[in-house]
Structure formats: structure tokens, C-alpha cells
Amino acid sequence: MTPVVDAVEPEARSRGRHPVTVALRRWPTWLALGLVALILPDYEDGLDLALIPGIASVGYLLMALLDRPGLTWILFVPVTALVPLTRLVDLDVWWVFTAVTAGLTVAGLVLGRLRRPDLRTMQAVVAAVLLGLAITAIGIAGDAGRLLVALALIGHAATDLVLWRANRVVSRSFAEWCGVLDLTLGAVLIAVTLA
């Protein structure tokens, strides 16, 4: 006897769901918007937001090498901790981000994880671009620097969308959270800079 297959399309099933249930499923979006609300009151010149694509460059490349999206939220904590740790031992965070990114890229090439043209390999390119934009933004400062930070944030939000749709490299919930965070902060940074 063959099992009965539910012929109702997923979209049709989801139309009948309660709005609260639908809203709760978007918890990464709400979490990101809450974090934006916490970040913006401490907003100084926008260049401090360059740390976000810096952290993303290291974290996403690490996740690409591990190929274990389920660990994303767990590994987010130690990757983010690089920032206060570098300050504690008086190291330049950008040198640390660059060294760790280069080390992860070399490890990925040696292990063969970054040799195929796929979404994991793309993370090495994205990391290099994000670090380049962030470091350049800090170097030139002013409005041009803020716009470069915004470009890095929005560019990473686009990467998050690709990863979210593919359900690869990082967990879907993390890609949604980071994408909303990056896109919102990038848009606010552009609006404030051009105002």
C-alpha cells in the first residue's frame, strides 16, 4: 500500500497559519532589528560598524571550511570574541582578521575545501573583499569611508541572501539574522551619510 501524499502545496498550507506563528518564525529578523535598535544609539561615525563585515569575513570562511552549518550560532561567540581579545592584548584587530582569514584560506586550499567553485569557495573571495573594503574605509574615513562600510554591509547582506536561499555554509536562521542586520545598518549608514 502506498502512503497518501499531501497534495496541498506548501504555500497553500502556510496561508492558513496564524499571524503570530508566522511572526515567530521570523525570530532572526526580530533579533536583528532589536540589535540594530541597541547599536544605533551608540552610533558614532559609522566607521566602527566596519567591525561587522570584519567579523563576518572570518566567521563565514571558518564555517565554509568546517561545512557544518549547525555550528554557526555556537561559533559566532568565539569569532566575535576576537575583537575584545585583540584589545586586551593590544593587537590591531585588522591585522588579526587579515592573518586569520589568510590562514583559513591557506588551510582550505591545502585541505581541498576551497578548490571547487561553489558557495564555500566564494567565502574566501567575499572575506578578501569585505576586509579590503573595511580596512580602506577606516583608512580614508569621512563620508567616503562610511559609504564603503555601508557597501561592505549591504554586499554581505546580498551574500547572506544567497546562502539563505541555498541553505549552505551557515544556518538559515543565522543567514537571515545577519542579512537583516547588515542590510538595515548599511541602509541607515547611507541615509545618515547622505543626509
Side-chain angles (χ1 to χ4, degrees):
M1 181 180 212
T2 55
V4 177
V5 177
D6 186 2
V8 180
E9 294 180 17
E11 291 154 358
R13 277 185 292 195
S14 66
R15 275 187 233 130
R17 297 239 166 104
H18 195 276
V20 173
T21 305
V22 173
L24 288 175
R25 289 167 123 203
R26 299 279 61 95
W27 68 265
T29 294
W30 304 122
L31 183 62
L33 294 174
L35 186 55
V36 168
L38 290 173
I39 290 172
L40 288 182
D42 290 334
Y43 172 83
E44 290 180 23
D45 65 355
L47 295 176
D48 49 339
L49 296 178
L51 286 171
I52 295 171
I55 292 167
S57 67
V58 172
Y60 280 56
L61 184 54
L62 175 62
M63 292 310 302
L65 293 182
L66 294 175
D67 199 21
R68 303 270 315 264
L71 297 176
T72 310
W73 286 101
I74 295 166
L75 292 177
F76 172 68
V77 174
V79 170
T80 305
L82 282 174
V83 175
L85 287 175
T86 56
R87 292 179 181 154
L88 188 65
V89 296
D90 200 27
L91 288 174
D92 183 332
V93 70
W94 297 105
W95 282 108
V96 173
F97 283 160
T98 302
V100 171
T101 299
L104 290 172
T105 301
V106 168
L109 291 170
V110 169
L111 295 172
R113 300 258 171 127
L114 298 180
R115 290 189 197 160
R116 294 183 302 272
D118 62 7
L119 289 176
R120 289 183 303 173
T121 304
M122 181 182 85
Q123 297 315 301
V125 175
V126 169
V129 170
L130 289 178
L131 282 176
L133 285 171
I135 292 168
T136 303
I138 290 169
I140 61 175
D143 287 348
R146 282 187 284 281
L147 291 174
L148 279 179
V149 171
L151 178 63
L153 288 165
I154 292 170
H156 193 259
T159 300
D160 279 312
L161 177 61
V162 170
L163 298 178
W164 181 85
R165 289 188 61 144
N167 198 16
R168 296 275 308 178
V169 181
V170 297
S171 69
R172 262 187 141 196
S173 61
F174 195 88
E176 178 179 336
W177 172 78
C178 192
V180 170
L181 178 73
D182 291 349
L183 182 63
T184 307
L185 288 174
V188 167
L189 196 49
I190 288 172
V192 168
T193 302
L194 298 179

